[in-house]
Every structure is written in C-alpha cells, then in structure tokens.
Amino acid sequence: MISIPANPYSYELPLTGVALIIIDMQRDFLEPGGFGDALGNDVSRLQAIVPTLKQLLEAFRQHRLPVFHTIECHQPDLSDCPPAKLNRGKGALKIGDPGPMGRILVKGEPGNGIIPELAPVLGETIIHKPGKGAFYNTNLETHLQQRNITHLLITGVTTEVCVQTTMREANDRGYECLLVEDCTESYFPEFKQATLEMVRAQGGIVGWTAPAAAVLQGLAEMGWGAADADLDLANTSVG
Ligand code: TIU
C-alpha cells in the first residue's frame, strides 16, 4: 500500500488493482469542427492538460499498469443516440452531421478518434460509450472485474460532464476513485473548480483529488515491475 497526499485526506493505493481511466480525449472535444465546438465551446482550453496527462500515461506504461481509454461516440445510424441527446446544442452542426473532421461524434470518423498525443497502444483497453458515464451501456465494469481492479485514477474531459458522471458511476459501484486535478479540464474553469470541490467535500463523498505530481511520486515509490501487472500485450481489447 502506498499513501498519496490528496484531498480531503491521503489516498491509499494498493500494490495491485489500480487502473488509469482516460475519458474522451478525442478530437471531437479538443479540436475546432468537432462536437465540443458545435455546442458553442472554446475548445482550445482543453489542450492545456495534454502534456501532464501524457506524463501520467507514460508512467502507467512504464510500470505496465492497466490503462482504459474511453471514446464518446454513436453508431452511424444513431440508433444509440436518444432524442434527448441528439437535440441538444443550437449550433450549425448536430451529432451525425458532416463536419470538417467527418460526421460529428460518430464512431470511426476522423474527428471521433483520440488525439495523436494520447493514442492508445497495444495492451490498452478502448471503451466506446454512447453516454456521459463510462459505465452506461458499456462493458467497462466487466473488464475491471476480470482484472481485479478496485482503484481508479480518473482523467480526461470534460470535468463536470463525462468525467464527473463516470466518477459518480464508479463510486456507486464500489470503486475508490481519485480525480487527477491537472489531468482534467472543462470548457468552463468555474465548473472544473466546483467539480473538484464537490467530489472531495463531505469527507470525500465521491472520492479524492490530487495533482499528477503526487500520483507520479507514489508510482515511483511503488517501484512496480512488469511481473506485477496483469497486462496482456498480445490483446488490445476494444469494448
Ligand atoms: N459538452 C461537454 O462538456 N462534454 C461532453 O459532451 N462530453 C464529455 O464530457 N466527454
């Protein structure tokens, strides 16, 4: 067990059972012409976390620890996109419309992919999700159970939408979650701040928050080797 300085108090990380969850670091949210842009947001603010998140991802790779990437997307016929989602936003483009990076938020389109800096490598799991939470209508929980994962380090975008929803879903399912403060971002800085505060309030009602440096220090202290991790390099799973 390693103790990571966190808010509202130390996060106790066991020697096995931790995974990095990277939520929706897609061109659709970080680049002009994607879904985030179509909703009327300034997408440039999300770029700031990429170098720090990359550092954390590299540490997980170095220690051969499990990494899960999520992709928010819909089937080309939009059969998995309810009107309550399709009809949101009042911009020129909606989900499924053709845009400069292909159809907005549709699986397999260029704009739907993960940004090149954080592209998954062999052995990492990709979860395609139609909702905001990564557990809704996906096999994420099965993957986590199969690998005896109990602790989730949560990162990605946007803090108060898909990241927070996923953290709450995970907490309800019994996972011990830490939101990495400088590896998550929002189009609205005040919403990011509010999310950090609300998840760790009331003694950590949803979980913990800590900066990446604290997590990286903890991982370095663990000194995990390849033999400790349950990583099958022959199989990159897609869910
Ligand atoms: N709009 C917004 O802030 N977020 C989303 O629609 N999806 C995610 O957060 N990934």
Side-chain angles (χ1 to χ4, degrees):
M1 193 78 80
I2 198 101
S3 196
I4 293 180
N7 284 303
Y9 47 83
S10 295
Y11 180 68
E12 305 299 325
L13 198 54
L15 290 171
T16 59
V18 63
L20 177 65
I21 309 285
I22 304 179
I23 305 285
D24 301 353
M25 288 299 287
Q26 303 163 233
R27 299 182 67 201
D28 251 317
F29 295 105
L30 280 95
E31 294 186 19
F35 184 50
D37 189 14
L39 291 171
N41 298 299
D42 170 10
V43 296
S44 65
R45 334 190 48 260
L46 305 191
Q47 279 291 340
I49 61 168
V50 174
T52 311
L53 182 46
K54 171 104 179 147
Q55 219 183 335
L56 191 56
L57 174 59
E58 291 299 342
F60 264 70
R61 286 174 177 167
Q62 192 185 338
H63 290 285
R64 303 252 179 144
L65 293 168
V67 175
F68 293 80
H69 302 258
T70 71
I71 294 180
E72 184 175 349
C73 61
H74 294 283
Q75 297 299 325
D77 65 1
L78 305 186
S79 55
D80 57 354
C81 184
K85 182 173 185 182
L86 187 60
N87 295 331
R88 296 287 77 77
K90 294 291 176 194
L93 296 177
K94 293 202 318 188
I95 296 171
D97 287 347
M101 298 190 289
R103 294 179 67 204
I104 301 284
L105 217 61
V106 169
K107 188 175 180 179
E109 297 288 333
N112 200 237
I114 292 172
I115 60 169
E117 299 95 313
L118 303 174
V121 300
L122 207 60
E124 296 174 355
T125 306
I126 301 168
I127 302 288
H128 293 96
K129 66 183 195 42
K132 295 174 178 67
F135 289 84
Y136 170 69
N137 247 344
T138 73
N139 55 10
L140 175 58
E141 193 167 16
T142 305
H143 279 285
L144 297 176
Q145 286 169 347
Q146 281 170 351
R147 299 175 75 166
N148 296 319
I149 290 164
T150 53
H151 286 61
L152 305 179
L153 301 186
I154 300 181
T155 64
V157 297
T158 62
T159 316
E160 80 281 10
V161 183
C162 293
V163 172
Q164 181 172 200
T165 301
T166 298
M167 187 165 175
R168 289 177 183 277
E169 284 184 332
N171 176 247
D172 277 347
R173 287 165 172 78
Y175 294 95
E176 304 281 14
C177 301
L178 182 145
L179 177 54
V180 187
E181 296 164 5
D182 43 358
C183 289
T184 182
E185 195 47 88
S186 167
Y187 301 122
F188 305 90
E190 67 276 25
F191 291 172
K192 171 179 175 175
Q193 189 57 32
T195 301
L196 294 178
E197 288 173 19
M198 73 177 76
V199 299
R200 67 192 179 207
Q202 305 181 64
I205 188 79
V206 183
W208 289 257
T209 78
V215 176
L216 288 165
Q217 177 68 31
L219 292 178
E221 283 171 22
M222 280 189 169
W224 277 323
D228 298 321
D230 169 29
L231 185 71
D232 181 3
L233 283 172
N235 291 301
T236 295
S237 331
V238 177

